[in-house]
Amino acid sequence: MSQGDGTTPEGRFDLGDSRYLDGRGTPEERAAFRAGLEKDPARRARLEAHEEAMDLWRADVARDVDRIDPEAIAAEVLEQIQRPAARPPRLAIHRVWAAAAVVLIALGAVGTFLAQPPDPTETQADFRAIDESLIEAFVDAPETWLQEDGGRGS
Amino acid sequence: MPKARRRAAPDRALQDAWVVRLRARDAGALTEVIEAFTERLTAVVSGILRDKDAVEDVVQQAFIKAWYRIEGFKGGSSLYTWLYRVAVNAAKDYIKSRKRRPAVSLEDLVVPANTMPSRGAQALEGLATREARLRVRAAIDELPLRFRSVLALRELEGLSYQEIADVLDLSLGTVESRLFRARGRLRALMQRAEAQARMGRTTGESP
């Protein structure tokens, strides 16, 4: 984002700056960028400030890297994965949910088996009543039929 | 030009052999992988996390997750970019679990001039460098996580755009855009911090 005189607004980082820092662009583009830096002190100062900040960040991070001991990390990690009950946290959570789901399904199945199904329209009750009347009729039937047969046969 | 530490990645054949051995649950391979990658993962995790005390734990968690999830490694990328991904995700998980962690603010790092010890120019320079380092750190910690991650991979580890895209599962254009925006935001934060530091010194020097 250059201004009319080829310089860039002071302080503002632009895409060209970022690409240059990352070594992007053709050799010609990079040469042109470097030539532009000579005429644009604000941009040069901006890039230098960024580099200084990154150097300080790297120094800060290097302190953490220096403190860490890969052998100690390895020992700790191996100890954790070799514990008999060791499971990755997410797998452990999945197991809990799976167990809970199995219990719920079992409870549902038992409940369904034990409970009487609802009969809001009383259809089942009507059928039961018909069944009972048929049974009664059947029980009474032989006598009647015998009587009727006997009457005819005699 | 960036002066990021660009450590040569282990040979691809060696990485592939580690994958095979890890899948066969070879703990010796895990030890070798930890020794080869601890420094790299520590640098990235340290760059992302504000909580320095958590860095070692998160790196450990990353290796443990890698051990259990190696079956999910498709092999489309190299083992080392996959390990970076696991580490970045472990750092993100840690941040999510500690969302309301207090951060060091830029204002806390302004040291008024009249509180500085005057023990010679060298001591003063050391203090100034430390102050500048902490100011940079605080500015980086104020960046959104998506910017901090991409900047850490680029500036601390020197990963290429393609490698960063693989690690963070982004397009190349998004990587370029995020780096640009991260640097722009960081520049603005640094300018604000420097202005506050100057104001603090001026206030400290006034009678």
Side-chain angles (χ1 to χ4, degrees), chain B residues 14-198:
Chain B
L14 178 59
Q15 292 186 57
D16 291 346
W18 276 330
V19 171
V20 171
R21 290 171 61 202
L22 287 172
R23 283 183 172 149
R25 317 318 279 159
D26 179 349
L30 181 62
T31 305
E32 289 171 28
V33 166
I34 291 172
E35 284 173 4
F37 293 103
T38 293
E39 286 192 4
R40 294 166 198 268
L41 300 198
T42 302
V44 170
V45 169
S46 166
I48 292 173
L49 290 187
R50 294 170 184 158
D51 185 352
K52 295 300 192 182
D53 296 333
V55 171
E56 189 170 332
D57 285 345
V58 170
V59 170
Q60 273 179 24
Q61 282 304 310
F63 284 120
I64 291 169
K65 285 177 180 176
W67 172 257
Y68 285 111
R69 292 179 188 170
I70 191 67
E71 291 299 332
F73 172 61
K74 301 282 188 294
S77 60
S78 59
L79 175 67
Y80 96 112
T81 53
W82 182 73
L83 285 172
Y84 276 124
R85 179 192 289 225
V86 173
V88 169
N89 287 337
K92 285 180 181 173
D93 288 347
Y94 176 82
I95 290 168
K96 276 184 207 157
S97 72
R98 296 285 184 100
K99 259 193 174 161
R100 297 203 50 82
R101 187 161 39 92
V104 180
S105 76
L106 291 170
E107 288 78 6
D108 296 339
L109 298 168
V110 176
V111 182
N114 61 354
T115 62
M116 288 183 180
S118 54
R119 287 192 295 168
Q122 201 174 356
L124 204 60
E125 190 183 337
L127 190 61
T129 305
R130 182 174 177 276
E131 190 190 344
R133 183 170 54 75
L134 292 175
R135 204 183 300 135
V136 168
R137 184 71 227 197
I140 283 169
D141 287 348
E142 283 205 19
L143 288 175
L145 182 56
R146 65 186 185 282
F147 290 162
R148 225 156 56 221
S149 307
V150 80
L151 207 57
L153 292 168
R154 176 67 208 156
E155 297 284 5
L156 301 176
E157 285 300 289
L159 262 60
S160 69
Y161 281 21
Q162 184 60 59
E163 288 169 329
I164 297 171
D166 288 344
V167 171
L168 299 177
D169 202 16
L170 300 172
S171 69
L172 284 177
T174 306
V175 170
E176 185 174 75
S177 159
R178 281 199 189 170
L179 276 169
F180 154 57
R181 290 167 65 201
R183 286 167 171 149
R185 187 82 70 90
L186 182 65
R187 170 78 178 154
L189 287 166
M190 290 298 300
Q191 284 179 318
R192 194 184 86 194
E194 281 158 17
Q196 283 169 347
R198 274 198 301 274

Side-chain angles (χ1 to χ4, degrees), chain A residues 18-19 21-22 30 64, chain B residues 1-2 46 52 161 176 183:
Chain A
S18 190
R19 285 175 57 83
L21 287 169
D22 291 333
R30 298 183 56 72
D64 285 340
Chain B
M1 288 294 289
S46 166
K52 295 300 192 182
Y161 281 21
E176 185 174 75
R183 286 167 171 149

Side-chain angles (χ1 to χ4, degrees), chain A residues 65-74, chain B residues 38 56:
Chain A
V65 173
D66 290 345
R67 265 201 302 268
I68 212 148
D69 176 7
E71 285 181 15
I73 295 267
Chain B
T38 293
E56 189 170 332

Side-chain angles (χ1 to χ4, degrees), chain A residues 1-3 7-14 40 42 46:
Chain A
M1 259 189 277
S2 61
Q3 298 174 134
T7 63
T8 50
E10 190 169 355
R12 287 278 301 276
F13 218 93
D14 70 22
D40 191 347
R46 196 163 63 228

